[in-house]
Amino acid sequence: MNYWTLALTSLSSAICSIPFSSLQVQPQPDAKMCDQTFLAITFGPCDSCGLNKPLMNIYLKNEPINYCSLCVELMACQGLATGETIHTLKAESESLKTKLEEERAKLHDVELHQVAEKVEALGQFVMKTRRTLKGHGNKVLCMDWCRDKRRIVSSSQDGKVIVWDAYTTNKEHAVTMPCTWVMACAYAPSGCAVACGGLDNKCSVYPLSLDKNENLSAKKKSVAMHTNYLSSCSFTNSDMQGCDKKANVWDMRSGQNVQSFETHESDINSVKYYPSGDAFATGSDDATCRLYDLRADREVAIYSKESIIFGASSVDFSLSGRLLFAGYNDYTINVWDVLKGTRVAILFGHENRVSTVRVSPDGTAFCSGSWDNTLRIWA
């Protein structure tokens, strides 16, 4: 099997080496975009034929190139052996995929909830809102905790990034971005900087200081440019995510996709690693959350109820990994027993869809952000 045989094991013969960042482009005008829909396409001269066409951003031997779809197809046909065609290679890749699924099914001998039958059930679970942070003028889209367990950074559709003191609910810093829909934000592990971005197509880092009157915009540094909007950003030891039905695990050193899981029936909105790093959870528009074990190479649990019909927008684990917090589009937060697969609590308080949930670094509380323009701290 040559290089192009391997290439054809992806969704098409042309896009096996699309970089991870490009998986987050091409937003579709669906309910998640609410009252603002948009579509951005990379358009320009093809590096092969030189014609101005819609381009595919791909990598060959770690070198970025921009080819039109026709040139990518022609490139994929180069080096084929006698009698080989794209159709025969596709058939071969489908056959190999079927064999892999059969081998994976042989190892599927027991469900997670069956293994956990002898584990003691969780007792009464009570949480309530301890703080409500008000200050954004539109939907809260993302938030992140500082490792000091006290400060929070949030971003909103109002174009602002705010750093909060979660104890006092005071705003410590506020930055107005050059665009609305600031869809991503993250706190640096040191607590000395925040990163953010959205429809400006770039990731910007703002150093923080004790001077609350300092002009943070003057110290802004743009560290990454994209051809489309930024949907997620993180510092080292955090997670990243895309938006389709497939969950992929990537080797950051080689840039290769090392594992894929495709059991969701709709777009995946959130991914979060289990505290041990051996598994991860996903939240999807199909109204389910799922747990995937990297060692077993398969899905091991589904968290759902017939009464839940709205999508899950964000997930996060408790510090021990026993609980999974999930924010939903029906304005609620569901708390799941990871081992038994049962719902142990449902939290009410937000007045619009819950867009993000994050557990504090010490595990004593968690924060939720919503399209009702507020953040709530629960404990």
Side-chain angles (χ1 to χ4, degrees):
M1 185 182 296
N2 59 29
Y3 172 81
W4 295 113
T5 305
L6 295 174
L8 289 166
T9 59
S10 61
L11 294 178
S12 74
S13 63
I15 60 173
C16 70
S17 52
I18 292 179
F20 175 64
S21 61
S22 66
L23 293 178
Q24 301 177 21
V25 303
Q26 307 293 350
Q28 298 300 317
D30 57 14
K32 289 183 293 182
M33 292 294 98
C34 193
D35 56 348
Q36 294 191 24
T37 60
F38 53 91
L39 182 65
I41 301 175
T42 304
F43 192 89
C46 172
D47 290 345
S48 178
C49 65
L51 299 177
N52 288 322
K53 294 182 178 181
L55 301 177
M56 291 184 176
N57 310 113
I58 64 177
Y59 279 74
L60 281 181
K61 297 180 180 180
N62 296 325
E63 292 295 326
I65 60 173
N66 296 306
Y67 277 15
C68 64
S69 58
L70 177 60
C71 290
V72 171
E73 291 285 349
L74 293 174
M75 180 179 62
C77 294
Q78 295 175 0
L80 295 180
T82 304
E84 284 185 332
T85 65
I86 291 180
H87 294 294
T88 59
L89 293 178
K90 281 184 177 179
E92 181 182 352
S93 68
E94 289 298 324
S95 175
L96 291 173
K97 182 178 179 180
T98 301
K99 291 180 180 179
L100 287 172
E101 291 297 333
E102 291 173 353
E103 292 298 319
R104 180 184 289 180
K106 291 179 182 178
L107 302 175
H108 190 177
D109 55 347
V110 65
E111 297 290 345
L112 179 63
H113 67 87
Q114 295 173 326
V115 178
E117 284 180 351
K118 296 182 180 180
V119 177
E120 184 178 353
L122 293 170
Q124 185 178 8
F125 190 84
V126 179
M127 294 189 79
K128 63 181 181 179
T129 302
R130 306 292 180 174
R131 300 285 192 279
T132 301
L133 309 181
K134 296 182 178 181
H136 281 297
N138 215 318
K139 304 164 186 172
V140 176
L141 302 177
C142 188
M143 59 79 51
D144 193 22
W145 284 89
C146 178
R147 289 192 180 180
D148 66 3
K149 312 167 191 176
R150 177 165 181 157
R151 289 170 177 80
I152 291 172
V153 62
S154 63
S155 61
S156 167
Q157 189 186 341
D158 62 10
K160 287 184 171 57
V161 177
I162 299 177
V163 177
W164 308 80
D165 184 328
Y167 287 3
T168 64
T169 71
N170 292 333
K171 306 179 191 70
E172 293 194 346
H173 301 282
V175 178
T176 301
M177 297 290 286
C179 67
T180 58
W181 283 89
V182 187
M183 304 169 70
C185 65
Y187 229 120
S190 65
C192 296
V194 294
C196 54
L199 293 189
D200 57 354
N201 299 359
K202 59 186 176 183
C203 180
S204 301
V205 175
Y206 292 87
L208 301 178
S209 69
L210 297 177
D211 183 4
K212 298 180 181 180
N213 297 319
E214 184 179 22
N215 182 11
L216 297 182
S217 299
K219 292 188 174 183
K220 180 180 73 172
K221 294 182 180 179
S222 297
V223 296
M225 290 291 296
H226 294 274
T227 57
N228 210 320
Y229 72 95
L230 186 75
S231 65
S232 176
C233 68
S234 61
F235 289 89
T236 305
N237 300 327
S238 295
D239 308 298
M240 297 187 70
Q241 59 205 48
C243 192
D244 57 18
K245 295 188 293 184
K246 183 182 293 185
N248 295 323
V249 180
W250 300 83
D251 185 329
M252 296 298 291
R253 295 164 297 183
S254 64
Q256 297 299 311
N257 178 11
V258 294
Q259 281 180 284
S260 291
F261 305 91
E262 193 170 6
T263 58
H264 276 293
E265 298 174 1
S266 189
D267 286 352
I268 295 172
N269 297 317
S270 179
V271 294
K272 186 66 179 181
Y273 265 104
Y274 191 75
S276 69
D278 295 322
F280 67 91
T282 57
S284 169
D285 280 340
D286 63 9
T288 70
C289 299
R290 301 177 188 238
L291 182 69
Y292 297 92
D293 192 300
L294 301 179
R295 299 161 298 180
D297 194 37
R298 68 178 180 88
E299 172 193 292
V300 293
I302 301 177
Y303 308 101
S304 65
K305 292 179 72 69
E306 289 186 1
S307 58
I308 300 177
I309 60 175
F310 291 88
S313 57
S314 184
V315 295
D316 200 6
F317 285 102
S318 64
L319 211 59
S320 67
R322 181 66 188 269
L323 298 175
L324 179 67
F325 301 93
Y328 287 79
N329 296 342
D330 62 357
Y331 316 167
T332 65
I333 299 168
N334 287 282
V335 186
W336 301 94
D337 184 328
V338 172
L339 295 180
K340 295 184 175 294
T342 57
R343 185 172 66 183
V344 297
I346 180 169
L347 307 178
F348 301 93
H350 282 296
E351 299 174 1
N352 207 323
R353 72 161 61 182
V354 180
S355 55
T356 179
V357 293
R358 287 291 180 270
V359 174
S360 65
D362 62 357
T364 59
F366 78 92
C367 182
S368 60
S370 168
W371 283 18
D372 64 8
N373 308 351
T374 69
L375 296 103
R376 290 176 179 260
I377 298 173
W378 309 76

